[in-house]
Every structure is written in structure tokens, then in C-alpha cells.
Amino acid sequence: MLLYLCLSLSHFIECKGEDKVTQTRADVTATEGDVVTLDCTFESTATYSYLFWYQQEMNDFPKYMLRRDTYGSVDNAPEFPIDRFHAAINGTSVPLTIEKLHLSDSAVYYCALQPTVTGNSTSLYKNLWSKDNTILHNVH
């Protein structure tokens, strides 16, 4: 049985425009039981960064899978055991490897970088309120 894994070509860019994450491959086709590695590279001005992987199944919200940091810390969500879902930061790369593929692994996978906002975050909300402070404007 063939599995169809899809990567978003989305770029997660820090507000300052200096940090970013890039996923290069759009689609991966594999067979149940195979091993697949999904690429993710990042650029960060921070000396200490967290890299995250998320899985989004069709018609569902993204689910946290795992987190790695630049010092080697490891954290996997319980439903994504480290023996099947693992990633390690290697320079500016944090590829996700999925072992023993299951049909249920068919999804979109996202890589993200933290910090995504640095500095005084209160300034982000400063100009969202109307002059009389009764309406919070919706910013898209």
C-alpha cells in the first residue's frame, strides 16, 4: 500500500525578517513500512533556538509532534514515539525521520522555529485598540 506524505512549502519567518525555516520537498510517496526523511533547514540570529515539527491530517488542525533545541534537548509528544519519529539538529538542518511508515502517517508536516517574536511583545498589541478602547481591531 502506498502512502502519500505532503510537505508544505510554507516559510515561517520571524517578525524581524532575519530568522526563517524552509522546507524544500513538496510531496513524498512511500510504501507502508518504509523509512522517510523530510527536510527542514533554518536560519536564526538567536544563539539558542527551538525547532518544532507538526503533523496536520486532512480536515484537522496541526498537532505538535516534537521539539529539538540547539543544545540537543529532545521532547516528543506521546503519540509520536521517538523510536518512530525522530529529528536531530545538524548545523542548520533538522530533518524529520519517520520509521516503519503507517497508513495513518499520511499528512502534511510542518517545521517551525522559535523564537518567532523577540523583544517587548506588548508593543504588538499597542495599536490594535480603537481610540476609545472599546473595539479590538482584527489584524490579518
Short mmCIF file of all heavy atoms in Angstrom, two decimals, residues 1-5 28-36 84 98-106:
data_model
loop_
_atom_site.label_atom_id
_atom_site.label_comp_id
_atom_site.label_asym_id
_atom_site.label_seq_id
_atom_site.Cartn_x
_atom_site.Cartn_y
_atom_site.Cartn_z
N MET A 1 0.84 -1.16 0.00
CA MET A 1 0.00 0.00 0.00
C MET A 1 0.89 1.24 0.00
O MET A 1 1.82 1.34 0.77
CB MET A 1 -0.90 -0.01 1.24
CG MET A 1 -1.77 1.21 1.35
SD MET A 1 -3.02 1.03 2.63
CE MET A 1 -4.23 0.12 1.72
N LEU A 2 0.60 2.21 -0.86
CA LEU A 2 1.39 3.43 -0.95
C LEU A 2 0.88 4.48 0.02
O LEU A 2 -0.32 4.64 0.21
CB LEU A 2 1.35 4.01 -2.36
CG LEU A 2 2.13 3.25 -3.41
CD1 LEU A 2 1.99 3.93 -4.76
CD2 LEU A 2 3.60 3.15 -3.05
N LEU A 3 1.81 5.20 0.62
CA LEU A 3 1.48 6.33 1.48
C LEU A 3 1.83 7.60 0.75
O LEU A 3 2.78 7.65 -0.01
CB LEU A 3 2.29 6.28 2.78
CG LEU A 3 2.06 5.08 3.66
CD1 LEU A 3 3.00 5.14 4.85
CD2 LEU A 3 0.63 5.05 4.15
N TYR A 4 1.09 8.63 1.03
CA TYR A 4 1.34 9.91 0.38
C TYR A 4 1.57 10.95 1.47
O TYR A 4 0.65 11.30 2.20
CB TYR A 4 0.15 10.28 -0.49
CG TYR A 4 0.35 11.50 -1.34
CD1 TYR A 4 1.25 11.47 -2.40
CD2 TYR A 4 -0.35 12.66 -1.09
CE1 TYR A 4 1.43 12.57 -3.20
CE2 TYR A 4 -0.17 13.78 -1.89
CZ TYR A 4 0.72 13.73 -2.94
OH TYR A 4 0.90 14.83 -3.72
N LEU A 5 2.81 11.37 1.65
CA LEU A 5 3.14 12.38 2.63
C LEU A 5 3.33 13.70 1.89
O LEU A 5 3.93 13.74 0.83
CB LEU A 5 4.43 12.03 3.37
CG LEU A 5 4.46 10.68 4.06
CD1 LEU A 5 5.81 10.46 4.71
CD2 LEU A 5 3.37 10.59 5.10
N VAL A 28 6.01 13.53 -1.00
CA VAL A 28 6.78 12.30 -0.84
C VAL A 28 5.81 11.14 -0.97
O VAL A 28 4.76 11.13 -0.34
CB VAL A 28 7.47 12.24 0.54
CG1 VAL A 28 8.19 10.92 0.73
CG2 VAL A 28 8.43 13.41 0.72
N THR A 29 6.15 10.17 -1.80
CA THR A 29 5.35 8.95 -1.91
C THR A 29 6.20 7.79 -1.41
O THR A 29 7.35 7.66 -1.80
CB THR A 29 4.94 8.72 -3.38
OG1 THR A 29 4.23 9.86 -3.86
CG2 THR A 29 4.05 7.49 -3.50
N ALA A 30 5.62 6.98 -0.54
CA ALA A 30 6.36 5.86 0.05
C ALA A 30 5.42 4.69 0.29
O ALA A 30 4.20 4.82 0.19
CB ALA A 30 6.99 6.29 1.36
N THR A 31 5.99 3.55 0.63
CA THR A 31 5.24 2.34 0.89
C THR A 31 5.18 2.09 2.39
O THR A 31 6.13 2.40 3.12
CB THR A 31 5.93 1.14 0.20
OG1 THR A 31 6.05 1.43 -1.19
CG2 THR A 31 5.15 -0.14 0.38
N GLU A 32 4.07 1.52 2.84
CA GLU A 32 3.92 1.19 4.25
C GLU A 32 5.11 0.35 4.71
O GLU A 32 5.54 -0.58 4.03
CB GLU A 32 2.60 0.44 4.48
CG GLU A 32 2.19 0.37 5.92
CD GLU A 32 0.73 -0.05 6.06
OE1 GLU A 32 0.16 -0.61 5.12
OE2 GLU A 32 0.17 0.20 7.14
N GLY A 33 5.68 0.72 5.87
CA GLY A 33 6.85 0.04 6.39
C GLY A 33 8.16 0.71 6.04
O GLY A 33 9.20 0.41 6.63
N ASP A 34 8.16 1.62 5.06
CA ASP A 34 9.37 2.34 4.65
C ASP A 34 9.84 3.33 5.71
O ASP A 34 9.13 3.61 6.68
CB ASP A 34 9.13 3.14 3.36
CG ASP A 34 9.16 2.28 2.10
OD1 ASP A 34 9.44 1.07 2.20
OD2 ASP A 34 8.88 2.83 1.02
N VAL A 35 11.01 3.89 5.47
CA VAL A 35 11.56 4.99 6.26
C VAL A 35 11.58 6.22 5.35
O VAL A 35 12.01 6.13 4.20
CB VAL A 35 13.00 4.67 6.73
CG1 VAL A 35 13.60 5.86 7.45
CG2 VAL A 35 13.01 3.45 7.62
N VAL A 36 11.10 7.35 5.86
CA VAL A 36 11.09 8.59 5.08
C VAL A 36 11.75 9.69 5.90
O VAL A 36 11.55 9.76 7.12
CB VAL A 36 9.63 9.00 4.74
CG1 VAL A 36 9.58 10.41 4.18
CG2 VAL A 36 9.02 8.04 3.76
N ARG A 84 9.91 5.90 16.38
CA ARG A 84 9.36 6.03 15.02
C ARG A 84 9.54 7.42 14.44
O ARG A 84 9.66 7.59 13.23
CB ARG A 84 7.86 5.70 15.02
CG ARG A 84 7.58 4.21 15.08
CD ARG A 84 6.17 3.86 14.61
NE ARG A 84 5.91 4.32 13.26
CZ ARG A 84 4.89 5.12 12.92
NH1 ARG A 84 4.03 5.55 13.82
NH2 ARG A 84 4.71 5.49 11.67
N ILE A 98 10.75 9.41 9.76
CA ILE A 98 9.62 8.59 10.20
C ILE A 98 9.96 7.15 9.83
O ILE A 98 10.14 6.83 8.66
CB ILE A 98 8.30 9.02 9.53
CG1 ILE A 98 8.04 10.51 9.77
CG2 ILE A 98 7.14 8.17 10.06
CD1 ILE A 98 6.86 11.06 8.98
N GLU A 99 10.05 6.31 10.85
CA GLU A 99 10.38 4.89 10.66
C GLU A 99 9.10 4.09 10.54
O GLU A 99 8.06 4.46 11.08
CB GLU A 99 11.16 4.37 11.88
CG GLU A 99 12.41 5.15 12.21
CD GLU A 99 13.64 4.66 11.48
OE1 GLU A 99 13.56 3.58 10.86
OE2 GLU A 99 14.66 5.35 11.53
N LYS A 100 9.18 2.95 9.86
CA LYS A 100 8.07 1.99 9.78
C LYS A 100 6.75 2.71 9.48
O LYS A 100 5.81 2.68 10.27
CB LYS A 100 7.95 1.20 11.08
CG LYS A 100 9.19 0.46 11.45
CD LYS A 100 9.06 -0.17 12.81
CE LYS A 100 10.42 -0.59 13.31
NZ LYS A 100 10.54 -0.57 14.75
N LEU A 101 6.69 3.32 8.32
CA LEU A 101 5.51 4.11 7.95
C LEU A 101 4.21 3.33 8.09
O LEU A 101 4.13 2.16 7.74
CB LEU A 101 5.62 4.57 6.49
CG LEU A 101 6.51 5.78 6.23
CD1 LEU A 101 6.66 5.98 4.73
CD2 LEU A 101 5.95 7.02 6.88
N HIS A 102 3.20 4.03 8.62
CA HIS A 102 1.84 3.50 8.70
C HIS A 102 0.96 4.32 7.77
O HIS A 102 1.27 5.48 7.48
CB HIS A 102 1.28 3.65 10.12
CG HIS A 102 2.05 2.91 11.16
ND1 HIS A 102 1.90 3.18 12.49
CD2 HIS A 102 2.97 1.92 11.08
CE1 HIS A 102 2.70 2.39 13.19
NE2 HIS A 102 3.35 1.62 12.35
N LEU A 103 -0.12 3.75 7.33
CA LEU A 103 -1.07 4.48 6.51
C LEU A 103 -1.53 5.75 7.23
O LEU A 103 -1.70 6.80 6.62
CB LEU A 103 -2.27 3.60 6.17
CG LEU A 103 -3.29 4.18 5.20
CD1 LEU A 103 -2.62 4.54 3.87
CD2 LEU A 103 -4.42 3.19 4.97
N SER A 104 -1.66 5.69 8.55
CA SER A 104 -2.11 6.84 9.34
C SER A 104 -1.08 7.98 9.39
O SER A 104 -1.38 9.08 9.86
CB SER A 104 -2.45 6.40 10.77
OG SER A 104 -1.32 5.85 11.39
N ASP A 105 0.13 7.76 8.86
CA ASP A 105 1.14 8.82 8.81
C ASP A 105 0.93 9.76 7.63
O ASP A 105 1.63 10.77 7.52
CB ASP A 105 2.55 8.21 8.72
CG ASP A 105 2.93 7.43 9.95
OD1 ASP A 105 2.43 7.75 11.05
OD2 ASP A 105 3.73 6.48 9.82
N SER A 106 -0.02 9.46 6.75
CA SER A 106 -0.31 10.33 5.60
C SER A 106 -0.85 11.65 6.12
O SER A 106 -1.90 11.70 6.76
CB SER A 106 -1.33 9.69 4.67
OG SER A 106 -0.81 8.52 4.12
#
